[in-house]
Amino acid sequence: MRIFIIILLGLLLLNTTAALITVFRKPRSISSVLAWIMTLLFLPGIGFIIYLFCGRGINGQKVFNLTDHDKENISNIKKMVDEDNLKSNGKLDINLLTDARVLNKYFRNMDSSPLSKRNSLKIYTDGKDKFEALFEDIRQAKETVHVEYYSFFNDRIGNEFLDLLGEKVKEGVSVHLIYDPWGSPGANKKFFASFVALGGKVAPFITSKNMISKTRLNYHLHRKIVVIDGKIGWTGGFNVGDQYLGESKKFGYWRDTHIRLVGTSVFSLQEIFIMDWNASVQHDSQKMDYLENYFQISEDSELGNLALQVVSDGPDSEEEILKSGFIKMILSAEKSVWIQTPYLIPDDSMINALLIAVRSGIDVRIMIPCMPDHPFIYRATQYYANYLHKRGVKIYMYQNGFLHAKTMIIDNEICMVGTTNQDIRSYALNFEVSTFIYDTKIAWKLTQIFESDMDKSLLLTDEIIQKQSHWLRFKQNFSRLLSPIL
């Protein structure tokens, strides 16, 4: 028995030493360090297997491998946007908003995201309306359709979507589709076989390749992008699946936010798609070039003087560009910060920004769902909702189904619609894209949508928190401890 105890203590000491070396061998945030130490210490052996696949990081890996030819083409695309901007005649809100100019400069420096000044935009908050309009755009496609989604389900709407893409292929339209296998149950080679047989092109995102040897299991394509004929772009929160049409008994009505873009802002979505495709295909012969018909300027009659930037980010970058942009927006606020997010698991820097705003007298409101789609993550969301409420942030819990929108509105002047949740996974682990809009009219439309959603929401109060059981609070606190690695 004594020998057994000595061996056990030795193994525990070895596990502890290995855990400390493993966690501290690369720079990490304090919260991430603590979460991984807990995992490695309390799950001896198993914790290291989890770390092997999910904890080593993707920084330093060449995900996109841009050639000099690629870089030259990307530079030429940005010149096309800048040249088209000259046609705007300066009739833009961005010329009046100092904070917009600073945010624009930050994104241009960090992500080379060009400011596009001549665009039109339409907002969609209902899944049926969104897919009806999207499908009509695809039916009108003449040359190209490029589709990229985190979730592409093998269900009614998924099959309808794929059948439509197949019809366009038969008409001679070039169709490419990227999906994330992790987020697309049932979307396998068999599901896409008939589409590929027609001549459609499909690629699972690069993080699904060599998941074990490249330790990419924890990194996902979370973008939602459709580009049609190089002129029309779609992006936002909706994935492809029946539940996003409100046809799930579990979730009920699905409340999301998506946007349809026309203008040179679509060039950025197209550029992101091409980079993602070229990184994901198996052979160089399958790669896409930056062809002229992928980047087409719409007729003047279709365009407005709407200024915006499409910004992408991912774990291949050491900079958390999107999160830093959000913080910049929050700290620039003078009156209000209104946020919608299905997952509220902010890191310390985001929490500090929100609390600085509240303590400066800014009206900070955050809307979250009233139900989980991932229970463990939702308990962490509840923890941070309670935490921020106690410090002056107004927390609204949407009651009319599931809230999946990812939006931010600052002072009714600057706003954001995208794929990025307010959680550590979106900040650091997912490949995301978000659109930053410098227009008071669009900001006001999103404000009106937020106010309408507030009528369907319950405001979190001290009384509600006090009624939460001890068991629920334990789950919230435990989930919070592991939130940096969720």
Side-chain angles (χ1 to χ4, degrees):
M1 177 62 71
R2 184 178 179 183
I3 295 176
F4 174 77
I5 294 175
I6 292 174
I7 293 174
L8 180 61
L9 291 174
L11 291 173
L12 290 174
L13 178 61
L14 179 63
N15 184 80
T16 301
T17 302
L20 294 174
I21 294 173
T22 298
V23 171
F24 287 108
R25 58 189 285 270
K26 61 176 290 186
R28 301 175 188 272
S29 66
I30 296 300
S31 58
S32 181
V33 166
L34 293 175
W36 276 116
I37 285 179
M38 285 183 58
T39 301
L40 296 174
L41 292 182
F42 290 105
L43 296 173
I46 297 175
F48 283 94
I49 295 175
I50 296 173
Y51 181 87
L52 177 66
F53 296 130
C54 303
R56 290 199 289 173
I58 204 170
N59 288 350
Q61 292 186 28
K62 292 184 178 180
V63 175
F64 295 107
N65 286 320
L66 296 179
T67 65
D68 291 338
H69 176 69
D70 293 330
K71 294 175 183 177
E72 181 181 357
N73 279 307
I74 291 172
S75 177
N76 289 335
I77 293 165
K78 290 172 174 53
K79 289 178 182 177
M80 288 175 61
V81 175
D82 290 338
E83 290 173 1
D84 186 75
N85 286 344
L86 299 176
K87 300 177 182 179
S88 68
N89 298 320
K91 297 177 182 178
L92 297 166
D93 281 341
I94 193 169
N95 295 324
L96 304 176
L97 303 175
T98 301
D99 293 325
R101 291 199 300 270
V102 174
L103 189 62
N104 155 48
K105 186 176 181 181
Y106 168 76
F107 286 134
R108 181 125 193 179
N109 289 341
M110 296 303 299
D111 187 50
S112 298
S113 299
L115 173 69
S116 173
K117 294 184 177 181
R118 294 207 310 151
N119 300 279
S120 296
L121 180 155
K122 187 171 182 180
I123 302 169
Y124 290 84
T125 61
D126 178 83
K128 293 179 180 178
D129 292 342
K130 178 255 181 176
F131 280 104
E132 181 180 348
L134 172 61
F135 285 4
E136 182 57 30
D137 279 344
I138 293 174
R139 291 188 187 99
Q140 300 302 318
K142 298 295 188 292
E143 297 181 344
T144 61
V145 177
H146 298 151
V147 177
E148 179 173 355
Y149 279 99
Y150 168 63
S151 295
F152 202 111
F153 283 83
N154 181 1
D155 56 14
R156 184 187 63 78
I157 192 66
N159 280 274
E160 184 179 344
F161 199 158
L162 199 60
D163 289 344
L164 174 59
L165 295 177
E167 290 297 319
K168 298 309 296 183
V169 172
K170 287 191 286 186
E171 294 174 13
V173 175
S174 174
V175 181
H176 293 69
L177 186 151
I178 311 172
Y179 69 102
D180 187 296
W182 183 267
S184 304
N188 49 31
K189 289 185 177 180
K190 182 179 179 181
F191 173 63
F192 292 114
S194 59
F195 171 69
V196 173
L198 293 171
K201 299 175 177 64
V202 177
F205 190 60
I206 185 175
T207 50
S208 67
K209 294 162 52 179
N210 303 318
M211 285 190 296
I212 297 178
S213 62
K214 295 292 186 180
T215 63
R216 292 169 171 162
L217 185 64
N218 204 30
Y219 305 96
H220 302 297
L221 169 73
H222 199 240
R223 308 199 237 264
K224 295 91 177 169
I225 294 173
V226 178
V227 180
I228 301 163
D229 286 340
K231 294 181 179 181
I232 300 172
W234 289 80
T235 187
F238 283 106
N239 286 294
V240 180
D242 291 345
Q243 71 186 53
Y244 303 100
L245 301 176
E247 297 179 1
S248 166
K249 292 182 179 180
K250 176 181 178 181
F251 298 113
Y253 182 72
W254 190 276
R255 169 63 187 87
D256 219 322
T257 303
H258 222 82
I259 53 175
R260 178 186 187 268
L261 298 170
V262 177
T264 51
S265 60
V266 178
F267 291 7
S268 293
L269 291 175
Q270 185 73 284
E271 178 190 321
I272 294 166
F273 180 89
I274 293 173
M275 290 176 61
D276 288 346
W277 177 269
N278 289 346
S280 300
V281 294
Q282 297 287 341
H283 307 290
D284 288 345
S285 62
Q286 299 171 292
K287 290 186 176 181
M288 301 172 66
D289 204 350
Y290 295 78
L291 302 179
E292 184 177 344
N293 66 328
Y294 292 165
F295 303 90
Q296 301 189 46
I297 296 177
S298 301
E299 299 293 331
D300 288 349
S301 59
E302 299 178 278
L303 301 176
N305 282 313
L306 178 64
L308 54 85
Q309 276 175 293
V310 176
V311 182
S312 63
D313 197 9
D316 59 307
S317 171
E318 294 182 358
E319 304 286 345
E320 294 177 347
I321 298 169
L322 286 171
K323 184 195 75 173
S324 298
F326 298 152
I327 291 174
K328 173 58 187 161
M329 289 175 71
I330 292 168
L331 295 180
S332 72
E334 296 181 353
K335 296 177 293 184
S336 60
V337 175
W338 290 11
I339 298 170
Q340 290 180 316
T341 180
Y343 315 123
L344 180 61
I345 310 177
D347 65 5
D348 290 343
S349 60
M350 180 62 72
I351 291 173
N352 288 337
L354 292 168
L355 296 185
I356 288 171
V358 168
R359 291 161 183 166
S360 301
I362 307 299
D363 175 22
V364 181
R365 306 183 186 193
I366 301 177
M367 189 176 294
I368 60 174
C370 69
M371 67 178 77
D373 64 339
H374 302 291
F376 195 66
I377 296 175
Y378 188 69
R379 297 310 170 202
T381 291
Q382 285 183 313
Y383 172 88
Y384 285 105
N386 294 348
Y387 178 90
L388 291 170
H389 160 76
K390 293 175 182 177
R391 287 154 180 82
V393 177
K394 300 182 183 71
I395 303 292
Y396 291 85
M397 298 173 290
Y398 185 75
Q399 304 290 304
N400 187 40
F402 187 78
L403 177 77
H404 194 248
K406 306 98 164 44
T407 67
M408 183 180 294
I409 314 161
I410 306 297
D411 293 344
N412 294 328
E413 293 179 344
I414 303 173
C415 54
M416 180 279 300
V417 175
T419 70
T420 315
N421 301 309
Q422 295 303 327
D423 67 355
I424 295 169
R425 167 163 291 280
S426 278
Y427 300 156
L429 300 178
N430 287 340
F431 291 85
E432 305 278 6
V433 60
S434 289
T435 303
F436 293 80
I437 306 160
Y438 311 119
D439 185 87
T440 54
K441 292 180 181 178
I442 299 300
W444 177 241
K445 286 182 181 179
L446 287 174
T447 297
Q448 290 177 309
I449 292 170
F450 194 106
E451 290 175 338
S452 176
D453 290 336
M454 284 197 308
D455 292 337
K456 305 178 186 71
S457 300
L458 179 66
L459 180 64
L460 184 64
T461 63
D462 291 340
E463 291 73 23
I464 292 174
I465 295 175
Q466 290 170 1
K467 291 179 181 178
Q468 294 174 350
S469 68
H470 292 296
W471 173 237
L472 177 57
R473 293 184 186 182
F474 170 78
K475 289 189 289 185
Q476 291 171 357
N477 281 278
F478 181 76
S479 298
R480 176 253 176 171
L481 289 175
L482 297 182
S483 60
I485 60 174
L486 287 178

